């Protein structure tokens, strides 16, 4: 039997090999066509008396990346169109469409013939749910093999039986953690949890799967046996259940502040489903899945964290006519924390790195940073000693600028000082061949002015990394006034090669991410000076959806840096550009009390190893008022609105010109409330008119920094959205 996406061949042993191999794709994904073909294959296996069982495997390097989420994205659009005329009918149709995969898997599970999933490489989302529905699972012991259900990370949850089968197969506490964190498991962990049966070498994968069937694998799952009862905490009314479920709900509330309907409905589906027979449990799961698909949070997160993210990672902003860069040798000037991090991710991506600093000790120290990161990866099972040796072999520390000869791209990561950068550029130019691209990792200095000191400004570009480089996924590519298309394309190719997400921004003070983050930090400072208790500021920041409060974040980036930025802004733009209350606060902390942040163990917090506590002395600087004097919702609105307003201003100024980059950049770069879809999606979700009215009210109560810009007022008057008015090209 052959279809467009599968082949099925039955051997003399009566075992059918079902091979999934989507044409024209590097990875198998679930589409409506794939589901229709899979349903037909299940029926063919069930009906053929000569077939004793079936093995499902992939012809690709990975099993599957999961569902084609763009299919769900289109489903949203159709649902919203139909819901305007017939809400009930649209809801029924969404339920039928979104539960199709679950129904097919249940048919596979109960068809009377044993199925075994033979997994190599990535097995994600719907692929993991398919494997869980099968009667046996064999996975290769390769490090590339991963088994996971990441749906909660994009605002939904596993809706094809994943919530019900995981909780009946694994320890309930471990299963719930996997589901709520969207974890992907390595083969050993998946087996330890009871989610796969055997871990074997890749070469023996199919034979091991066939052996399971030949050994008499039962085509009936335990929960379909007569008298089945969930064990332990999976029995929600047992003693173990009474210990798990109230705590699980409390942890969910603590971690999410109920901002994520996907996680909330996941918990409800699991809790209710475990009290029911499997068929009813799956129907409950499908109803909650259809419900979460209708939430604005799911629509926004899927658009930003899947659709837009994939488009940007695939080069949506790359100049169409520029030839692809063949980057092999990269220079990094400056082996401090940032430069060492850049060298590490570059070497990890397989490129040779020349890591240069003022002397060999400093350069060697930068290389040692990479060694330390690889040691941690080895300890955690994410790399081997051979991987470490290979990465370090690609990093050549040096104090000689002549070693930069032959580099395709040089990234300068020295101090934020014009003279220091100019000297590095001058010395590098003496040794770089024609056509080499020079990039600055500056976070504050305008690229156009720096490029004026390079031999050809068209070959100069900004590449702004975020700290720590090895963990932060966003990179800002800054285009100066004279940056050429080839330099821009080279920078984008480089960022793609090191597996990070680029956004393209035009030159401006603070670029995009730092402007928004600065607004967030400023608001935290001003709240403190108003008497808002510091603990309340921090908690409200997290309640609003930010990963950390503004005071903790400022400690991480350093208070003395904030002080320097305030002073530089004052010098460049005048005293009116700086809020005097913020300046007084930072002067007291940094200048008078030498509280610099985490780096010297004292800032808004006191640090003792990994422990930190808010510094009690803050009350000596600004006397806190009773928490009851402040409305939590008002504080949350302030913290999100100042960032969204700054994003709208950068868009009006054409610093950012693509709505996808504004949203994805805000989530990956500074953690802007992911459930909103990003800064511009936050405004669109509220509606421009309502957002403008809210900000005008905040401006009246708290100051002109909340006053909306002209673009927002025009959009409010016309009833427009950012994604409507500035829709990216298909």
């Amino acid at each position: 039997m052959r279809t467009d996406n599968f082949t099925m061949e039955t051997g003399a042993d009566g075992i059918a090999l079902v091979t999934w191999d989507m044409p024209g794709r590097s990875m198998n994904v679930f589409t409506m066509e794939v589901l229709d073909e899979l349903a037909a294959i299940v029926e063919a296996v069930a009906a053929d008396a000569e077939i004793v069982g079936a093995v499902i495997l992939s012809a690709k390097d990975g099993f599957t990346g999961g569902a084609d989420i763009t299919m769900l994205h289109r489903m949203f659009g159709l649902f919203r169109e139909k819901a305007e005329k017939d809400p009930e009918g649209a809801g029924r149709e969404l339920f039928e469409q979104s539960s199709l995969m679950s129904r097919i898997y249940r048919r596979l599970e109960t068809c009377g013939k044993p199925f075994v999933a033979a997994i190599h490489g990535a097995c994600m989302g719907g692929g993991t749910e398919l494997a869980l529905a099968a009667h046996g699972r064999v996975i290769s012991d390769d490090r590339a093999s991963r088994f996971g259900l990441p749906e909660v990370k994009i605002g939904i949850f596993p809706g094809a039986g994943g919530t019900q089968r995981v909780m009946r197969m694994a320890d309930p506490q471990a299963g719930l953690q996997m589901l709520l964190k969207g974890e992907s498991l390595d083969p050993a962990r998946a087996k330890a949890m009871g989610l796969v049966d055997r871990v074997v070498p890749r070469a023996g994968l199919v034979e091991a799967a066939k052996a399971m069937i030949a050994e008499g694998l039962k085509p009936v799952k335990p929960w379909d046996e007569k008298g089945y009862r969930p064990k332990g905490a999976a029995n929600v009314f047992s003693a173990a259940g009474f210990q798990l479920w109230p705590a699980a709900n409390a942890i969910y509330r603590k971690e999410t502040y109920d901002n994520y309907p996907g996680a909330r409905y996941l918990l409800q589906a699991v809790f209710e489903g475990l009290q029911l027979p499997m068929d009813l449990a799956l129907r409950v799961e499908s109803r909650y899945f259809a419900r979460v698909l209708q939430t604005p949070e799911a629509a926004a997160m899927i658009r930003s964290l899947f659709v837009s993210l994939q488009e940007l990672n695939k080069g949506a902003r790359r100049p169409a006519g520029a030839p692809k860069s063949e980057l092999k040798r990269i220079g990094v000037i400056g082996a401090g924390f940032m430069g060492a991090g850049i060298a590490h991710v570059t070497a990890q991506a397989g490129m040779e790195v020349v890591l240069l600093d003022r002397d060999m000790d400093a350069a060697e120290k930068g290389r040692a940073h990479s060694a330390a990161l690889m040691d941690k990866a080895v300890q955690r099972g994410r790399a081997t000693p051979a991987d470490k040796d290979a990465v370090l072999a690609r990093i050549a520390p040096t104090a000689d600028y002549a070693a930069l000869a032959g580099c395709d791209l040089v990234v300068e990561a020295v101090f934020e000082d014009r003279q220091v950068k100019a000297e590095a550029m001058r010395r590098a130019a003496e040794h770089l061949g024609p056509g080499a691209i020079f990039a600055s990792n500056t976070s504050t200095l305008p690229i156009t002015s720096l490029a004026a000191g390079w031999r050809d400004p068209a070959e100069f570009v900004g590449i702004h990394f975020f700290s720590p480089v090895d963990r932060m996924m966003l990179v800002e590519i800054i285009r100066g006034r004279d940056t050429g298309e080839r330099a821009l394309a080279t920078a984008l190719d480089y960022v793609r090669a090191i597996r990070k997400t680029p956004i393209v921004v035009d030159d401006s003070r603070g670029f995009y991410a730092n402007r928004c983050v600065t607004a967030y930090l400023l608001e935290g400072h001003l709240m403190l000076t108003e008497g808002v208790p510091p603990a309340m500021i921090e908690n409200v920041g997290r309640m609003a959806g930010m990963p950390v409060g503004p005071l903790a974040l400022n400690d991480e980036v350093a208070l003395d840096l904030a002080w320097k930025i305030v002073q530089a802004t004052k010098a460049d733009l005048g005293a009116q550009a700086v809020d005097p209350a913020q300046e007084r606060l930072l002067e007291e902390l940094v200048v008078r009390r030498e509280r610099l942040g985490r780096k010297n163990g004292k800032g808004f917090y006191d640090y003792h190893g990994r422990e930190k506590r808010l510094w009690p002395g803050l009350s000596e600087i600004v006397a806190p008022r009773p928490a009851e004097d402040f409305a939590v919702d008002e504080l949350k609105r302030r913290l999100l609105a100042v960032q969204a307003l700054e994003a709208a201003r950068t868009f009006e100024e054409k610093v950012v010109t693509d709505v996808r980059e504004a949203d994805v950049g805000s989530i990956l770069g500074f953690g802007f409330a992911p459930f909103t879809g990003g800064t511009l999606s936050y405004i669109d979700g509220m509606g421009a008119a309502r957002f403008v009215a809210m900000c005008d009210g905040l401006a009246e109560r708290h100051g002109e920094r909340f006053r909306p810009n002209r673009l927002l007022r025009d959009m409010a008057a016309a009833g427009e959205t950012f994604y409507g008015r500035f829709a990216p090209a298909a």
Side-chain angles (χ1 to χ4, degrees), residues 409-696:
L409 168 71
V410 172
V411 182
E412 164 271 301
V414 300
F415 294 119
E416 286 289 280
D417 181 286
R418 286 186 181 277
Q419 283 69 41
V420 175
K421 290 182 182 292
E423 176 65 8
M425 290 160 57
R426 183 190 66 76
R427 296 184 67 184
E430 295 173 357
H431 302 283
L432 286 176
I437 302 300
F438 195 91
S440 176
N441 179 55
T442 180
S443 59
T444 56
L445 299 174
I447 290 299
T448 300
S449 61
L450 290 176
W454 187 243
R455 62 192 182 190
D456 183 356
E459 295 178 348
F460 193 99
V461 66
I463 302 182
H464 177 213
F465 287 88
F466 294 81
S467 183
V469 176
D470 59 297
R471 295 208 301 269
M472 296 297 287
M473 295 309 298
L474 185 75
V475 178
E476 283 183 318
I477 307 296
I478 302 105
R479 182 168 48 192
R481 184 185 59 216
D482 300 313
T483 298
E485 298 282 85
R486 191 175 69 84
L488 178 62
T490 300
L492 287 166
D493 291 344
Y494 168 64
V495 172
R496 185 177 182 184
I498 60 174
R499 302 179 188 90
K500 294 191 182 293
T501 298
I503 63 171
V504 178
V505 303
D506 277 358
D507 207 3
S508 83
R509 189 181 191 86
F511 314 128
Y512 172 64
N514 280 352
R515 282 179 61 169
C516 296
V517 166
T518 299
Y520 179 58
L521 299 182
L522 168 63
E523 204 58 30
H525 296 167
L526 295 183
M527 286 179 177
L528 192 63
T529 64
E530 292 166 18
V532 182
M536 189 176 191
I537 296 170
E538 297 294 84
N539 286 331
V540 165
R542 294 199 63 209
M543 291 169 70
M546 299 298 292
V548 294
L551 307 182
L553 180 59
N554 203 163
D555 273 2
E556 294 295 332
V557 300
L559 295 186
D560 58 329
L561 177 60
W563 170 250
K564 289 174 185 175
I565 290 172
V566 165
Q567 296 309 303
T569 303
K570 188 175 178 180
D572 292 348
L573 304 178
Q576 75 282 354
V578 171
D579 191 295
Q582 182 193 33
E583 185 176 19
R584 287 193 298 271
L585 174 66
L586 289 173
E587 184 176 21
E588 182 67 32
L589 286 164
V590 175
V591 179
R592 295 194 174 91
R593 307 206 183 208
E594 296 184 345
R595 301 191 68 86
L596 310 182
R598 181 184 277 277
K599 67 181 182 180
N600 78 331
K602 51 185 183 178
F604 288 110
Y605 288 78
D606 281 326
Y607 297 87
H608 303 283
R610 293 187 177 183
E611 296 293 321
K612 68 176 185 180
R613 292 186 179 180
L614 279 163
W615 177 46
L618 282 173
S619 59
E620 300 171 11
I621 299 174
V622 182
R625 291 160 51 192
E628 293 78 11
D629 287 359
F630 304 96
V632 168
D633 285 344
E634 176 91 343
L635 297 176
K636 286 164 62 177
R637 283 191 290 269
R638 286 172 61 179
L639 290 174
L640 294 185
V642 288
Q643 298 177 77
L645 277 167
E646 196 60 32
R649 292 180 188 121
T650 65
F651 210 84
E652 183 176 54
E653 297 165 18
K654 294 185 169 44
V655 173
V656 182
T657 57
D658 190 307
V659 287
R660 297 170 297 186
E661 292 181 312
D663 275 345
V664 171
S666 67
I667 296 173
L668 297 188
F670 48 95
F672 185 86
F675 68 90
T676 67
T679 47
L680 300 188
S681 283
Y682 172 67
I683 297 171
D684 277 1
M686 187 179 298
R690 186 175 157 212
F691 181 77
V692 164
M694 178 188 78
C695 289
D696 277 333

Side-chain angles (χ1 to χ4, degrees), residues 110 193 248 293 605 635:
T110 59
M193 285 180 64
L293 289 178
Y605 288 78
L635 297 176

